[in-house]
Amino acid sequence: MIHKNNIFKKAALCVAVCSSLTLYSAQSLASNVDGAIKGVVTQQQNAAPIAGATVTITNETNGFSKTLVVDANGQFNLNSIPVGVYNVRIEKDGFQTSELKDVTIGIGKVAALEVQMTEGSLEVISVTGSRIARVDTTSSEASFNISADELNRLPVAPDITSVALLAPGVNLGDSRFADAKGNALASFGGASQAENVYYVNGLNMTNFRNGVGGASIPFLAYESFQVKTGGYSAEFGRSTGGVVSSVTKSGTNEFKFGLQHRQSIGSLYGDRPSSYYQADDCQQNIVDGEIVETCSNRIGDVISDNSRDSRETSTTDIFASGALIEDTLFFYGLYEMRDNEYEDLIDRGNGIRVRKDDDPYYLARLDWNINEDHSLSAWMFKDESTLATTDYDFDENGVRINESGKNSETLSGGTSWSIRYNGNITDYLSISAMAGKVEFTDTTTADGSDCPVIYDLSAGQSLGCWASFTIENNSDEREQYRFDVDWLVTDNHNLRFGYDAEKNTSTSEVNLSGGIYYAYQNFEAGAVLPNGYTIQESARYARVRNYKVGGEFGINNEAFYIEDIWNVTDQLTLNIGLRWESFENLNADGETFVEMSNQFAPRLGLAYDIFGDGEHKVFANAGRYHLPVASNTNVRLAGAELYTHDYYELEGVGSDDVPQLGGKLGETVVFGDGTAPSPVSVRASNLEAMYQDEFIIGYQGMINEDWSAGVKYTRRELKSVIDDASAEKAFESIGIDDDHFLLLNPGKGASFEYDADGDGVLEQYNFTAEQLGYPEAKRNYNAVDLMLERAWDGLWMFKANYTWSQSYGNAEGYVKSDNGQDDAGLTTDWDYPYLMDGANGYLPNDRRHAIKLFASYALSDNLIFGMNTRLTSGRPRNALGAGYFPDQGSYHYGDTYYVGDTKFSRGSFGRTPWTATVDANFKYDLSNYDVFDSAYVALNIYNLFDASNVTNYEEVAESEAAFNANAQFGSPVSWQSPRRVEVIFNMTF
C-alpha cells in the first residue's frame, strides 16, 4: 500500500504533481520516457479507505482514458503513462465526486495523490493541478524538469546544453569542446564534459567515440526535458557526470499545421575581442661579430584578430500533427530548413574563413494506442549535414576577394530511429521494450588534399595550399535494446528491474593532408627538444609529423538492474538498487582487447517526511557509477596507428612553402609505429573500469503555498581512471630499455604479456604501482547547493540557486581542458610519470561560486517578459612547460608543470575572471487573432550587455622545447560568447 501519510496533504484534496520546475524527482519512477500516477482514496471524517471507488485518468488532447478501481486499502496505481497533462476524476456512490485538472506528468515523475472524499452526491470538488506546488517526500534524486512551454517563457538558447545549465551544479565547460554541430557542452558536478549521457525518447544519443556531446534533433520537436545531476537510480549508468533525458512532441486528435521561423539579427551580433602577444618573440644571433636581433613578433602584435567575426543563422520549421485514427493512431512530423553562415578572420587577419551549413533536418513520429493498456510508438530523425568551409584573401583595402583554393567539407550526423512498446499488464504490473539505432558520421574532404600541412608555429600562420588538417572518413553506429519491468509487488514494495544492451561500431580512416605535416618553429640556443637534443644555435627549425590510423572496431555494453522502492513507514521511503554492467572493446581484427565483467554499482536512496505533513523532507543518496571505455581508445590504441615526430635543421623554404630539410636533430619520437599490437600487450589484464562514488544529503521544504526552498550537499570521488601510459620506468627497474604503452589504472599495478626482447614470444610482466611510478588518480568534488523557487501561477515564476563547489585532484576525466584534447582514454595525462609531477590541484572544472537566477512575468494578458542570469567564478590557470628540469633525460613530450627550472603546480597561476551573462526575452501572444489557432512572436537577447570576459588563457609557457619561451603565453584564447539577438515567429493553424 502507498502510505497516505507519506503522500502530500492539502485540505480535502492533495497532489504532488511533480511540476516541471521541481527541485528533486520521485525515486518511485526512474524512467527516462514516461511518468506514473499513484494515490490513496479515503473518507475525510475517519481516514478509512474507500474500496471500489473508480479513478478515471484522461488526456483531452488524444482521447486517452484509463479507469482504475480502488482496492481494499484505498490504493490505485498506474505505473506507466506518457508525459503530458491529465485530468483525474474519482467517483463513488454516496460520496461527492472529486476532480483534479491539469495534472502535469514529467519525465520520470510520479503524480502522487491523496483524495479525501466527503459523503454526499451533488458537489464536484475540482482543483487545478498546475496551481499546487508540493514537496515530494519520496524523492532522493537530484534532478530538474522543464517543459517546452516553460522554456518558451524564458530566454534559453535552442540546444541541450542551455537547458542543462538551468540546473544547479551544471557549468559551461571549456569552449574548445563541442558536439558535431558546434554546440557548447556542460560539466556536471565537476566531471569532464565527456562523461554525460543524452537520451531522446529513451534512445541513447551520446557520442560513444569520445563522449563529447551527442546527436541533435530539431529543437522545436522537444516536448519535455529532465536533467539528472546526481543520485540517479540503478536504471541509469555509463555516466559519471549527468543524464539529460527528453521526449519529443506527438500527435493529438486535433489536426495542427504550423510554421516557426527563428532568425538571428547579424547586425546586432556582439564584439569578440582579439588576442595579442604578451611578450616579444625575438632571437639574438652573432653576425660578423655583432649581436643581431630578429623578431617574429613584438608585444601587442595580433595573435587572433576577431574584429570582423560574424554569425548569421536562421531556421524555418514546418510541422504537422493529428490523428490518422481518432483516439488511436497519431502522427507528428517536422521539416527544418536551416541557413547558417559564420565568418572568422584567419591568419592574423590576413584572410577570412566562411563556413556554411544549410542542409535540412527532419523528424517523424507515430503513436498507436492499441487499447487503454497497451501502446506502441516509433520515431526517426535525420540530422545529416555538410559544413562547407571556404577561405578568402583580402585586397590592399581589406575587401574580400578571390577564394584561396583552401576549401573543405565536413559531413556529420546521420539517420536514427527507435520503436518502443509500453504495456500495463495489470494495474500493478507494467512492462516496456525498445529497440533502436543511432548513426554518427564525421567525414572530411578538401581541395588540396595532396598538399602537405604546413604551419609556422612562431608566427601563428598556416602556409601552403592545404585546406583541411586531416582527411577523415569516420562513422559510428549504435544498436541498442532494452526491456524494463515495473511491479508493485506488495503494499510497501515497488520492484523495478530490466536489461539494456548496446552494440557499437566505429569505423575510422584518418590521414594528414598530403600525408605529412611540416611545422616551422624558432628555437633559442640551449632549448631541449622532446627527443633530448639540445639546440646549439638560435634559429628557425622544422618539425615533421607522420600520422595515419584506420580500421573497424566494436564495443559491446550490457547491464542488468534491479531496485526496490520500499515504504518502510508512513514517513520513510528507501530506494535500494543494484546495477550489473559489462564492457567489451574489440580491435580491428575483432579480437577482445578490453573486457570488464561483473561491474557492480549499488545505489541507496532515502527520503524522510520530517513532520508527516508532506511539506518538509530530508533525503540522502549514495551510489557507484561506471564509465565504459570510449571507442576512441579502440581506434588509437588497438589500431595500427602511425604517429612520429622528427626535427631538422632548415636549409631553406621552397616556393610552395615546403621546408628544405637539413640535418636531422636527434632521434625520431615514436608515438605509434604503425603496427596493430597484440590485445594482451596493450592493456593490463587486471584492468578495472573507471568509476565514481557519490554521496548526497539534503533538505527541501515549503515556505508557504507558493514558495519552496532547499539545500543539498554533494560529495563525489573518482575512484578509478583508465588511460594509456608508458611502462618505461617499470622496465628500467628490471634492466630493460623499452618504452611500451598500455591501458592501465594509474596508481595501481599492471600485469600484461609483451615481447620486450623481440624474439617473437610474449613474456608475462607483473609490475607494481611503485615500479610504474604513477600516482593514484584522484578527482574529488564537494558542493553545496542553495535553492529557492516560486512556481508559475499564470502570472510569474522565479527560481534562484547558489552553488559553492570545489573540484580538485590530478585527473580531469575523459578530456583534457589544459590543452583542449578530446582523446578520451588517451590524453597526454599519465603518458609518463614526470607529466604528473605537480598535476595535483584545483581542476579545470573547479568553479568555486555559481549563481543562477531565472524568472518570467506576465506584463499583460499577451506579453511575457523572461530573464536568465548566470554569474560564475573563474577556472584555475596553469603555466605549462616543454621539459622536465629534475630529470630532462626522462622527458619525451607533453606539457609538464616545470617551466625552465621552476615548478608551477596545477592551478597556481591564479584564475580566469568571473563571468556574468544576462539573457532576456519578450514573448507576445497573437492567439487572439482568429486566423491562428495559436501564435506568438518573441525577441530573445543572449548576453544582453555583450559581456566579454576571458574564459581561457594560453597556458603553454614553453613552445616545443624546454627553456624556449612561448611569446603567446598568458594571451586570451576564448571569451564569453558575444551578444546574439534573434526573432521568433510561431503560428499554428
Side-chain angles (χ1 to χ4, degrees):
M1 169 178 168
I2 299 179
H3 290 277
K4 59 187 179 184
N5 291 327
N6 196 36
I7 312 294
F8 323 134
K9 302 180 177 180
K10 166 98 174 141
L13 180 62
C14 302
V15 58
V17 296
C18 293
S19 158
S20 42
L21 286 178
T22 52
L23 297 179
Y24 307 101
S25 73
Q27 280 287 67
S28 51
L29 186 75
S31 171
N32 60 1
V33 178
D34 300 317
I37 294 179
K38 302 181 180 182
V40 172
V41 182
T42 60
Q43 298 183 39
Q44 184 180 25
Q45 60 270 35
N46 57 17
I50 304 179
T54 59
V55 180
T56 304
I57 302 166
T58 59
N59 184 318
E60 294 179 351
T61 65
N62 61 16
F64 174 89
S65 180
K66 173 68 176 176
T67 299
L68 306 172
V69 177
V70 175
D71 67 14
N73 297 312
Q75 172 185 308
F76 64 91
N77 176 81
L78 184 60
N79 275 349
S80 179
I81 186 169
V83 169
V85 179
Y86 294 84
N87 296 333
V88 181
R89 186 180 180 91
I90 304 96
E91 299 172 290
K92 175 70 174 177
D93 290 341
F95 291 86
Q96 294 175 345
T97 296
S98 295
E99 187 173 43
L100 182 67
K101 293 182 176 294
D102 299 336
V103 178
T104 299
I105 302 297
I107 301 171
K109 297 295 186 180
V110 177
L113 318 180
E114 180 180 329
V115 181
Q116 295 178 334
M117 302 184 73
T118 303
E119 291 184 357
S121 58
L122 297 178
E123 183 180 359
V124 175
I125 301 175
S126 182
V127 177
T128 301
S130 62
R131 299 296 301 275
I132 301 175
R134 274 293 174 269
V135 175
D136 183 350
T137 55
T138 66
S139 165
S140 59
E141 179 183 79
S143 67
F144 167 84
N145 277 59
I146 192 165
S147 69
D149 287 341
E150 289 165 321
L151 283 173
N152 282 338
R153 297 193 292 263
L154 294 169
V156 176
D159 62 79
I160 289 293
T161 296
S162 296
V163 176
L165 287 172
L166 296 173
V170 182
N171 291 307
L172 200 60
D174 193 294
S175 62
R176 289 171 291 186
F177 303 123
D179 65 17
K181 306 301 180 182
N183 297 311
L185 299 172
S187 163
F188 288 67
S192 77
Q193 294 153 271
E195 298 172 40
N196 308 318
V197 176
Y198 305 89
Y199 293 97
V200 179
N201 294 334
L203 188 66
N204 188 350
M205 313 286 279
T206 314
N207 169 9
F208 62 84
R209 183 171 290 239
N210 59 11
V212 177
S216 303
I217 73 169
F219 197 77
L220 185 61
Y222 286 113
E223 173 67 22
S224 186
F225 302 87
Q226 184 186 57
V227 181
K228 297 178 187 290
T229 57
Y232 33 95
S233 71
E235 178 181 344
F236 297 93
R238 306 185 188 116
S239 167
T240 48
V243 177
V244 181
S245 298
S246 59
V247 296
T248 60
K249 293 182 172 72
S250 57
T252 65
N253 278 324
E254 181 182 3
F255 178 78
K256 295 181 180 180
F257 173 79
L259 176 146
Q260 175 176 287
H261 181 73
R262 185 187 293 263
Q263 178 71 56
S264 69
I265 303 175
S267 61
L268 297 180
Y269 184 71
D271 295 325
R272 188 189 302 272
S274 299
S275 60
Y276 302 91
Y277 278 87
Q278 305 295 301
D280 290 335
D281 183 10
C282 301
Q283 293 179 328
Q284 291 184 341
N285 295 288
I286 299 176
V287 179
D288 297 330
E290 296 183 359
I291 297 177
V292 177
E293 184 178 63
T294 58
C295 296
S296 300
N297 302 282
R298 290 285 193 180
I299 294 176
D301 285 352
V302 68
I303 298 173
S304 176
D305 187 347
N306 301 315
S307 61
R308 292 178 58 171
D309 293 357
S310 68
R311 301 289 185 269
E312 293 276 0
T313 64
S314 71
T315 59
T316 301
D317 296 273
I318 300 173
F319 54 91
S321 65
L324 299 174
I325 302 175
E326 187 176 3
D327 294 343
T328 303
L329 184 62
F330 308 92
F331 77 92
Y332 175 87
L334 181 146
Y335 184 82
E336 182 173 86
M337 294 169 282
R338 305 163 58 253
D339 187 8
N340 303 316
E341 183 170 320
Y342 318 104
E343 294 189 2
D344 298 280
L345 292 173
I346 56 173
D347 292 339
R348 303 171 68 174
N350 294 313
I352 192 165
R353 175 165 294 159
V354 179
R355 294 173 293 146
K356 294 184 178 181
D357 177 11
D358 57 9
D359 290 317
Y361 292 170
Y362 58 81
L363 177 145
R365 173 170 173 164
L366 286 174
D367 290 273
W368 180 20
N369 292 337
I370 303 170
N371 56 40
E372 69 174 11
D373 289 315
H374 302 276
S375 64
L376 198 65
S377 65
W379 75 290
M380 63 83 62
F381 79 99
K382 185 175 182 179
D383 67 338
E384 189 173 270
S385 63
T386 298
L387 181 67
T389 302
T390 305
D391 292 352
Y392 295 88
D393 296 324
F394 287 132
D395 64 14
E396 63 275 8
N397 298 316
V399 177
R400 189 172 86 181
I401 51 174
N402 57 292
E403 295 183 14
S404 66
K406 296 183 177 182
N407 304 328
S408 65
E409 291 187 345
T410 299
L411 176 67
S412 62
T415 301
S416 303
W417 60 269
S418 76
I419 184 168
R420 181 182 180 88
Y421 162 78
N422 284 288
N424 290 307
I425 308 305
T426 70
D427 289 349
Y428 303 101
L429 177 66
S430 65
I431 63 173
S432 65
M434 189 207 73
K437 180 185 290 187
V438 180
E439 292 179 349
F440 304 91
T441 301
D442 183 13
T443 298
T444 301
T445 58
D447 295 340
S449 58
D450 293 332
C451 299
V453 178
I454 308 173
Y455 204 85
D456 190 327
L457 297 176
S458 296
Q461 208 165 9
S462 62
L463 304 170
C465 56
W466 64 279
S468 177
F469 190 87
T470 55
I471 308 301
E472 302 187 21
N473 186 3
N474 299 316
S475 65
D476 298 309
E477 181 181 276
R478 172 189 281 117
E479 297 178 8
Q480 51 189 299
Y481 312 90
R482 68 174 305 122
F483 180 79
D484 300 276
V485 178
D486 191 321
W487 181 21
L488 189 62
V489 181
T490 68
D491 291 348
N492 299 318
H493 292 275
N494 191 169
L495 191 66
R496 303 190 75 253
F497 56 91
Y499 168 79
D500 81 273
E502 297 179 350
K503 181 180 180 181
N504 304 330
T505 304
S506 288
T507 302
S508 182
E509 183 180 348
V510 181
N511 293 280
L512 294 168
S513 179
I516 199 165
Y517 168 28
Y518 298 108
Y520 295 106
Q521 175 71 56
N522 296 334
F523 289 121
E524 294 283 348
V528 182
L529 298 178
N531 60 5
Y533 182 87
T534 301
I535 296 295
Q536 303 300 312
E537 181 180 349
S538 298
R540 196 180 189 208
Y541 295 85
R543 187 196 68 197
V544 179
R545 175 184 296 177
N546 285 281
Y547 183 85
K548 65 178 180 179
V549 69
E552 182 176 290
F553 308 86
I555 293 179
N556 298 313
N557 297 327
E558 61 178 343
F560 292 93
Y561 75 92
I562 185 169
E563 60 183 0
D564 178 25
I565 298 91
W566 178 19
N567 294 314
V568 182
T569 69
D570 287 352
Q571 294 173 249
L572 177 63
T573 301
L574 294 181
N575 186 311
I576 305 169
L578 180 66
R579 182 178 178 88
W580 172 92
E581 295 186 282
S582 174
F583 309 132
E584 181 186 28
N585 293 61
L586 311 176
N587 66 11
D589 297 324
E591 300 174 308
T592 299
F593 83 95
V594 170
E595 185 171 20
M596 290 174 287
S597 301
N598 300 321
Q599 305 297 312
F600 292 100
R603 313 281 171 86
L604 176 63
L606 174 153
Y608 183 72
D609 184 351
I610 301 174
F611 303 111
D613 60 2
E615 295 194 354
H616 302 271
K617 70 169 181 180
V618 292
F619 60 95
N621 196 293
R624 174 164 292 181
Y625 304 86
H626 292 97
L627 199 66
V629 177
S631 71
N632 176 72
T633 306
N634 302 43
V635 175
R636 292 206 52 207
L637 189 64
E641 182 183 61
L642 175 66
Y643 187 5
T644 65
H645 277 175
D646 288 293
Y647 296 85
Y648 294 90
E649 294 177 340
L650 187 62
E651 292 190 346
V653 178
S655 58
D656 54 0
D657 294 321
V658 174
Q660 297 172 352
L661 303 176
K664 184 178 177 181
L665 307 176
E667 298 180 353
T668 299
V669 179
V670 179
F671 306 101
D673 64 6
T675 62
S678 168
V680 298
S681 298
V682 293
R683 56 97 178 106
S685 59
N686 57 334
L687 190 68
E688 295 181 0
M690 181 173 174
Y691 70 91
Q692 175 175 269
D693 288 343
E694 177 186 76
F695 173 74
I696 294 174
I697 187 169
Y699 159 83
Q700 186 189 6
M702 299 299 300
I703 299 174
N704 56 35
E705 291 296 312
D706 298 312
W707 291 84
S708 65
V711 60
K712 174 170 66 74
Y713 168 74
T714 302
R715 169 72 174 183
R716 285 179 161 187
E717 295 183 6
L718 191 64
K719 294 290 190 177
S720 176
V721 166
I722 295 177
D723 214 318
D724 70 321
S726 171
E728 180 183 46
K729 186 174 181 180
F731 277 117
E732 286 179 358
S733 69
I734 59 174
I736 297 176
D737 182 13
D738 198 300
D739 188 12
H740 175 63
F741 275 74
L742 72 155
L743 211 60
L744 51 74
N745 301 122
K748 300 177 181 179
S751 298
F752 59 96
E753 297 178 45
Y754 177 61
D755 180 18
D757 55 14
D759 63 359
V761 178
L762 295 174
E763 294 89 24
Q764 177 70 35
Y765 293 95
N766 301 292
F767 291 127
T768 65
E770 291 72 22
Q771 287 176 299
L772 290 164
Y774 295 98
E776 185 176 351
K778 180 172 68 175
R779 184 181 75 200
N780 294 331
Y781 175 78
N782 294 295
V784 176
D785 297 306
L786 304 176
M787 293 152 284
L788 179 67
E789 178 187 0
R790 186 189 192 277
W792 174 256
D793 62 356
L795 178 63
W796 70 293
M797 61 77 59
F798 174 81
K799 183 170 182 180
N801 61 72
Y802 164 76
T803 300
W804 175 93
S805 63
Q806 178 190 66
S807 180
Y808 62 93
N810 56 15
E812 178 184 356
Y814 253 179
V815 297
K816 183 175 171 65
S817 296
D818 299 334
N819 60 2
Q821 188 181 11
D822 62 0
D823 256 348
L826 295 172
T827 65
T828 53
D829 283 346
W830 313 105
D831 279 9
Y832 293 96
Y834 63 78
L835 292 171
M836 305 310 296
D837 185 1
N840 195 55
Y842 292 117
L843 293 164
N845 290 306
D846 178 74
R847 302 289 198 277
R848 195 55 48 84
H849 308 281
I851 300 171
K852 300 179 182 181
L853 309 170
F854 57 93
S856 55
Y857 184 82
L859 299 172
S860 69
D861 289 343
N862 299 93
L863 182 62
I864 293 177
F865 168 73
M867 177 270 293
N868 182 16
T869 298
R870 297 191 307 275
L871 182 64
T872 310
S873 61
R875 63 183 266 184
R877 294 177 59 185
N878 301 312
L880 303 173
Y884 185 57
F885 183 76
D887 183 9
Q888 186 61 40
S890 67
Y891 181 83
H892 294 269
Y893 61 81
D895 298 326
T896 70
Y897 296 92
Y898 282 82
V899 179
D901 58 0
T902 304
K903 182 178 181 178
F904 297 95
S905 294
R906 174 180 291 281
S908 62
F909 234 72
R911 288 180 178 261
T912 60
W914 282 64
T915 58
T917 303
V918 179
D919 304 331
N921 79 329
F922 292 90
K923 177 187 175 185
Y924 188 79
D925 190 352
L926 303 171
S927 298
N928 55 341
Y929 292 92
D930 293 338
V931 68
F932 305 118
D933 180 57
S934 66
Y936 66 86
V937 61
L939 175 69
N940 290 342
I941 308 172
Y942 307 110
N943 193 0
L944 175 65
F945 302 109
D946 201 21
S948 58
N949 277 357
V950 180
T951 57
N952 189 25
Y953 291 92
E954 176 61 68
E955 296 187 339
V956 176
E958 292 179 331
S959 182
E960 290 292 313
F963 299 96
N964 193 62
N966 179 13
Q968 296 183 17
F969 173 65
S971 62
V973 172
S974 57
W975 302 260
Q976 292 176 256
S977 296
R979 180 184 58 240
R980 184 164 56 89
V981 181
E982 66 179 16
V983 177
I984 303 172
F985 176 66
N986 182 294
M987 60 180 178
T988 303
F989 299 96

